[in-house]
Amino acid sequence: MMKELFSRTPAALLSGLLLLTGLAACDNTAETPTDAGGADETPTESTTGAAPGEGVSVTPAYNVLEELFQTEVINIGLEQLGYTLESPKELEPSTMHVDLANGGIDYIAMHWERLHNDFFENSGGDEQLERVGVVVPDVLQGYAIDKATADEYNITSLDQLTDPEIAALFDTDGDGRANMTGCNPGWGCELVIEHHFDAYSLRDTVQHDQGQYFALIADTITRFEQGDPILYYTWTPLWLGGVLAPGEEVEWLAVPYTDLPEAQGEVSEEDTTAQGVNLGFVVDRMRVVANQEFYDNNPAAVQLFELVTIPIDAVSAQNQRMQDGEDSPEDIRRHAEEWIAENQDLFDSWIEEARAVESASR
């Protein structure tokens, strides 16, 4: 720019300009000018005005650290759209949906559409919340036992545990009943497991062990390593499938027929069958749920929620890294950044479409 100015300046003024330039160069407090309109400059959010989230703070939430990965992928996208991200809250699913409806948080990325439907409806449903997109498709849940015991006693179905002799194989506290590692109180799976205990007449022979799931499953893994029979509830995506792999170390148990809580709606055997086994739980999908006010006022964020989809194998692989020791929130953030770098073109297309939606809404 200075060169162009010199070329257009009469000679009589040139010496004065040179003097002023020299004085500015000697002044240590002078700011270096930036060329905001150069022909070679790449447009940025500041030059294009395309920062739809500017001035808007967003508070996400998650249930367990194993679900933070997909939240961080979305958080990074929101940051690129100009939003300010607050620290994610760690909440139980039932509490989370209530807080979401009341505006204490703005979005979650770990809502299981069928499993968490009761929480969704009890927190105001469609009037206060909006389900958006599909973050992780084809997520599974079910009951599993170790393969050695399954093969030795030909155990393939959950209702075989009504036989006291079969149930006693999994007794860990000496009361004659099978001990099944189950769900935390307040989780959606707790409602289904308790429903199944009644539907399949399991209460006399099976005990639902509840507490902190990951502490209980650690004990379950230890028993397996010691050669003892194990019985537990699990889901995918989760690192546990890499430690106790179905078809290798463990086997899924089928249910005798599909029977689920009324809140999950009409469900057929086809809806609960995966890998040739009726697991008793709907083959579900993990979605974003947003607070209604946030949804209505942030079209760019909503478009991002609509577009982000992460393959279940990628989530499982990230979970395995957590099991291998990379399990801090900082590690998980880095995992999200690395996944984005590996899928940069796709991620960039999500951001571009989100900005376009914001521009079109103005």
Side-chain angles (χ1 to χ4, degrees):
M1 176 179 283
M2 188 63 74
K3 181 178 178 181
E4 293 174 356
L5 184 59
F6 284 172
S7 68
R8 297 171 187 174
T9 303
L13 297 177
L14 184 56
S15 59
L17 284 170
L18 289 173
L19 176 61
L20 289 173
T21 303
L23 289 173
C26 293
D27 184 356
N28 290 332
T29 63
E31 295 183 358
T32 302
T34 56
D35 186 354
D40 295 333
E41 182 181 2
T42 300
T44 64
E45 289 181 357
S46 61
T47 60
T48 63
E54 185 174 354
V56 180
S57 294
V58 182
T59 301
Y62 64 96
N63 178 207
V64 293
L65 281 174
E66 284 74 11
E67 296 166 342
L68 184 55
F69 171 64
Q70 59 264 35
T71 304
E72 288 290 13
V73 170
I74 293 176
N75 286 348
I76 293 168
L78 290 172
E79 289 168 353
Q80 292 201 12
L81 292 171
Y83 291 91
T84 299
L85 268 293
E86 304 296 335
S87 297
K89 294 183 179 181
E90 184 176 350
L91 300 169
E92 295 296 332
S94 55
T95 305
M96 182 188 305
H97 284 77
V98 173
D99 200 17
L100 186 61
N102 292 334
I105 54 180
D106 297 300
Y107 89 92
I108 59 176
M110 41 62 62
H111 171 85
W112 291 53
E113 184 173 24
R114 300 297 283 270
L115 183 67
H116 292 156
N117 189 59
D118 215 4
F119 301 146
F120 181 87
E121 296 297 341
N122 290 339
S123 300
D126 292 328
E127 293 185 2
Q128 292 181 263
L129 303 169
E130 286 282 351
R131 291 179 172 122
V132 194
V134 178
V135 183
V136 186
D138 298 330
V139 289
L140 304 179
Q141 304 168 82
Y143 307 103
I145 64 173
D146 62 287
K147 184 172 175 57
T149 304
D151 290 346
E152 182 175 355
Y153 294 92
N154 193 30
I155 303 171
T156 59
S157 180
L158 189 67
D159 62 333
Q160 289 178 259
L161 294 171
T162 59
D163 181 341
E165 293 186 5
I166 295 295
L169 297 171
F170 305 96
D171 178 17
T172 62
D173 58 13
D175 69 355
R177 295 189 297 166
N179 290 86
M180 186 185 73
T181 300
C183 261
N184 288 30
W187 287 10
C189 47
E190 177 195 27
L191 303 177
V192 178
I193 293 171
E194 290 297 314
H195 181 90
H196 283 169
F197 269 48
D198 291 329
Y200 307 135
S201 303
L202 296 169
R203 294 202 180 275
D204 290 342
T205 54
V206 184
Q207 178 175 312
H208 182 192
D209 290 346
Q210 294 182 266
Q212 291 299 316
Y213 180 82
F214 292 106
L216 294 173
I217 208 67
D219 290 339
T220 302
I221 293 170
T222 298
R223 290 199 305 274
F224 173 80
E225 292 172 343
Q226 293 171 345
D228 296 331
I230 57 171
L231 167 66
Y232 63 99
Y233 159 85
T234 189
W235 71 90
T236 66
L238 185 64
W239 56 262
L240 186 58
V243 177
L244 301 173
E248 298 178 19
E249 288 85 10
V250 300
E251 294 287 0
W252 290 111
L253 288 181
V255 297
Y257 51 87
T258 297
D259 195 321
L260 287 165
E262 185 177 346
Q264 296 203 22
E266 293 187 12
V267 181
S268 68
E269 182 174 338
E270 182 179 359
D271 296 325
T272 59
T273 298
Q275 302 172 15
V277 179
N278 185 352
L279 299 174
F281 294 79
V282 172
V283 177
D284 217 329
R285 51 188 193 162
M286 212 177 292
R287 306 188 68 187
V288 170
V289 176
N291 168 271
Q292 187 67 56
E293 183 177 354
F294 183 84
Y295 178 94
D296 290 341
N297 292 299
N298 293 276
V302 170
Q303 183 65 11
L304 181 67
F305 297 157
E306 189 70 49
L307 294 171
V308 172
T309 298
I310 303 173
I312 194 169
D313 289 346
V315 181
S316 294
Q318 185 276 332
N319 272 205
Q320 185 59 54
R321 295 178 69 178
M322 293 178 64
Q323 175 64 10
D324 293 338
E326 299 178 26
D327 57 357
S328 71
E330 294 75 19
D331 287 329
I332 297 168
R333 172 72 177 206
R334 175 169 49 81
H335 297 162
E337 291 169 348
E338 291 171 355
W339 185 85
I340 288 171
E342 292 167 0
N343 298 273
Q344 195 67 59
D345 290 345
L346 176 62
F347 182 81
D348 289 346
S349 73
W350 295 340
I351 302 302
E352 183 178 347
E353 288 189 48
R355 286 182 180 145
V357 165
E358 174 69 20
S359 299
S361 69
R362 292 177 180 175

